Amino acid sequence: MKVEMLATTCDKSDCPTIYKTDRGTILVQGETPTGHGLDLPAHESLVEIPIELIQKAFGDSARA
């Protein structure tokens, strides 16, 4: 899989980041939230990122 960074919140590799892949998908790097009360399948997980990161990656089309 080839990955291209779209947006990040800092210059290090340990910050929330959004990537685009050559498979037509998006990868999201962020904090793993707890206490959300959701029942997720074993093969899925959640990450939490700032809404500003979505806006930075996708511009006006990502208004909250």
Side-chain angles (χ1 to χ4, degrees), residues 35-56:
H36 47 69
L38 299 173
D39 185 22
L40 300 174
H43 67 279
E44 294 183 357
S45 63
L46 297 173
V47 295
E48 185 173 18
I49 61 169
I51 190 66
E52 294 82 12
L53 183 59
I54 298 289
Q55 293 168 331
K56 186 175 182 180

Side-chain angles (χ1 to χ4, degrees), residues 3-50:
V3 176
E4 174 188 347
M5 183 175 44
L6 295 178
T8 187
T9 59
C10 71
D11 294 330
K12 298 183 267 179
S13 64
D14 63 348
C15 299
T17 305
I18 296 176
Y19 303 92
K20 174 174 74 170
T21 74
D22 63 346
R23 302 191 302 187
T25 60
I26 298 293
L27 300 176
V28 178
Q29 176 182 338
E31 297 289 326
T32 304
T34 59
H36 47 69
L38 299 173
D39 185 22
L40 300 174
H43 67 279
E44 294 183 357
S45 63
L46 297 173
V47 295
E48 185 173 18
I49 61 169

